[in-house]
Amino acid sequence: MSKVRVATVWLDGCSGCHMSFLDQDERLIELAGLVEVVHSPIVDPKEFPENVDVAIVEGAVSSEEDLHKIRVIRERSKILVSLGDCAVTSNVPAMRNPFKVADILKRAYGEMADHNAGTGPSEVVPPLLKRARPLHEVVHVDVFVPGCPPSADAIYYVLSELLAGRTPTPAELTRFGA
Amino acid sequence: MAKKQIVIDPVTRIEGHAKITIQLDDEGVVEDAHFHVTQLRGFEKFCEGRPFREMPSLMARICGICPVSHLMASAKACDALMAVKIPPVGAKLRVVMNLAQITQSHALSFFHLSSPDFLLGLDSDPATRNIFGMIEKYPDLARDGIRLRKCGQEIIAILGGKKIHPAWVVPGGVSEPLDEERRDKIVAMLPEALEIILRTLDWFKASLKNYEEEIATFANFPTLFMGIVGEGGLLHHYDGKLRIVDSARNIIKDGIEAHEYRKYIGEAVEPWSYLKSPYFKPLGYPEGIYRVGPLARLNIINRIGTPKADDEWLEFRKLDRHAVMSSFHYHYARLIEILYAVERMNEILHDEDILSTHVRAYAAPNCEVGVGMSEAPRGTLMHEYHIDKHGLMKSANLIIATGHNNLAMNRGVLQVAKHYVKGKELKEGMLNRVEAVIRAYDPCLSCSTHATGQMPLHVQLVDRRGTILSELKRN
Ligand code: SF4
């Protein structure tokens, strides 16, 4: 049987959800036999490939680059999993939403700087969106896995169900803020 | 003149969102290179108006890789706001959790992210040059890495209830004492960790001879080194004062307290990165370049303070006459620090008073400004909080470990690019080396972007009229 093509993506999150994925520990060895991780911060291929079976996405949509990426991910993936509270509700990234982007930049690069203080970086770096948004506001999401982060057990359960061709219902294993 | 640019985007097998650009002249010779951090999250602003007691839990969300480091620095800033001295056992328990995190984070950096370069090879197939490729080819080593990281994560969960973002570290100490059962459980895990780290050090040291070229060119240049040292100049990641040494290991400045940091550390803004570049103020910008993290810590201390790690340190010191200069040796330093962490946790957990139930001090806010400083796996972390009379946050300033290394990472990228990248014939392995120098620093960009993403590695050499001269894609 050919391996299931899995991608993991990190948008505006703290990487805690990815760390929880790695907390599957020895179960990763078992997974390595069943899935091929075709794209992820922990593997090298840079481009999000075509024909992904399961895309697992951590983090909110906060910059123009995030927005572009999540659209490409949706287009190229059969199942999109919204992993963790930042992806599901926009959680911590959304705490900046009541403030203007300019004020956020001013704090970091104007008030808290000693050399070249000003309005902030503008070359090469992607501009921030006005608001950080949850994934499902921007694209269709198939599976929601709340938690900050969802536990390794919850992630393992979701993956196992998907690999078995079933729709996971992780509500018993994780919840908002878990 | 035809200007060409190579873009590596994103840098992979690092913790975060970054790209590298390399500028070439018309002969294809590297002129300049930059390391860009492409995300900003705004913690320094959006904490405004929130109760300071929330800060440890909130600030931990800066980073899921080293949440415990932010817990430590944040809780220490809160201790300073309350002007309390926390109970000694509360402090010891914080130290144990911090060392558990050093163990898991260093294991992640070494095994999960960088060992594919060492074992599968810097020029190996990028499709399998990762932890899953390791599982297939070197299952025993991969298992060692997974077990070692698991050990650190489990100790954090045993102490704090959860592996990632535990709520146990609070202003004034920790919320729950340790009991005998849990103490014994942790102590029982340490012998395996010790065995793993000792055998890892053995094979890594034996393999160093294969990397002479990388060692010579991976950000190998003189800079200052900075970090916290404990009493007697011993290695300490939680308590102590800042020390800065030069490349000859002369002490330039010693005994800097957390609240004095701004006197010595300035922050510079560059238009092409969301990550600011701190510098040593007395030398100015960018001459005040310095490095932090495992390599820096092993360069600034008088000795480590645990027996096995001290032996390894003496051997490590022989690599260079003065300070160990090559950033390639961050990897080596990381392994020695894991050894120290395992030994030290074992010592502390055998202290007679470790099960004491007096682990937390209570107080109202007493100061308007509090600064907390601790050593994260990647280097010194500073949290500065300002509150109003009700204890609500007015502002925060955060300098994170990876930020301190920003200048040195940029200079390192340039050095490696100049050595390996020959613009006329691009090879994937060359670019992987440019990324590998960044990996050696183990930058934590979730931290540094408290302040985003993946795009293809797509390198084009374009002349002035936009004609593509040469192209390289990594899919
Ligand atoms: S949900 Fe929590 S653990 Fe996951 S990225 Fe967001 S803050 Fe980090």
Side-chain angles (χ1 to χ4, degrees), chain B residues 141-275:
Chain B
L141 273 165
R143 185 180 294 271
D144 268 1
I146 288 171
R147 297 281 304 171
L148 191 59
R149 175 170 178 276
K150 181 180 177 183
C151 169
Q153 289 287 76
E154 291 215 324
I155 294 172
I156 293 171
I158 292 170
L159 291 170
K162 203 171 160 202
K163 287 182 175 174
I164 298 161
H165 303 327
W168 174 74
V169 179
V170 291
V174 297
S175 61
E176 290 264 353
L178 186 61
D179 58 35
E180 201 175 332
E181 195 191 326
R182 289 183 299 141
R183 191 258 319 264
D184 295 348
K185 209 168 150 190
I186 300 177
V187 168
M189 289 160 62
L190 297 176
E192 186 196 351
L194 187 65
E195 275 172 34
I196 293 177
I197 190 59
L198 289 173
R199 66 174 168 257
T200 306
L201 266 162
D202 281 346
W203 73 252
F204 186 69
K205 283 191 286 187
S207 74
L208 282 177
K209 58 179 185 314
N210 305 332
Y211 299 104
E212 276 165 14
E213 195 177 349
E214 283 81 6
I215 290 169
T217 54
F218 271 36
N220 189 346
F221 40 66
T223 59
L224 302 177
F225 295 94
M226 185 184 86
I228 292 177
V229 293
E231 251 173 64
L234 298 192
L235 183 63
H236 212 300
H237 297 83
Y238 174 80
D239 237 346
K241 294 177 185 162
L242 273 184
R243 173 183 285 180
I244 295 165
V245 306
D246 65 13
S247 51
R249 286 188 87 229
N250 299 313
I251 296 179
I252 301 293
K253 191 73 208 165
D254 207 5
I256 303 173
E257 306 249 17
H259 65 87
E260 301 175 296
Y261 83 98
R262 273 180 191 260
K263 256 199 253 168
Y264 301 99
I265 309 293
E267 293 183 82
V269 181
E270 289 294 355
W272 37 262
S273 181
Y274 278 130
L275 182 58

Side-chain angles (χ1 to χ4, degrees), chain A residues 10 12 14 23 25-26 41 44 46-47 63 66 69 107-109 112 114-116 121-123 126 148, chain B residues 10 12-13 17 39 41 44 48 64 129 147 267 269 271 273-274 276 435 452-455 457 474-475:
Chain A
W10 172 4
D12 189 2
C14 75
D23 281 339
D25 299 326
E26 287 99 333
D44 276 343
K46 310 278 179 188
E47 193 165 8
S63 71
D66 295 343
K69 273 190 280 179
R107 168 62 47 84
Y109 307 106
M112 302 291 183
D114 307 270
H115 179 89
N116 272 351
S122 56
E123 299 166 18
C148 182
Chain B
T12 43
R13 284 184 286 126
H17 302 295
Q39 186 181 32
R41 304 178 61 211
E44 287 160 327
E48 261 179 48
R129 193 174 54 205
R147 297 281 304 171
E267 293 183 82
V269 181
S273 181
Y274 278 130
K276 288 187 273 188
E435 289 182 84
T452 260
Q454 260 111 307
M455 291 207 297
L457 164 64
R474 186 195 285 168
N475 285 320

Side-chain angles (χ1 to χ4, degrees), chain B residues 314-358:
Chain B
L314 287 173
E315 201 182 323
F316 175 83
R317 295 266 325 104
K318 292 191 196 128
L319 290 171
D320 257 317
R321 217 153 52 90
H322 299 297
V324 175
M325 219 87 85
S326 172
S327 292
F328 189 87
H329 290 311
Y330 268 97
H331 296 298
Y332 189 175
R334 221 164 263 135
L335 296 180
I336 296 175
E337 283 202 330
I338 297 178
L339 176 58
Y340 158 78
V342 174
E343 286 188 290
R344 187 78 190 111
M345 282 191 279
N346 193 43
E347 285 174 10
I348 300 174
L349 290 166
H350 283 94
D351 278 357
E352 259 170 36
D353 59 357
I354 195 70
L355 303 179
S356 159
T357 52
H358 183 38

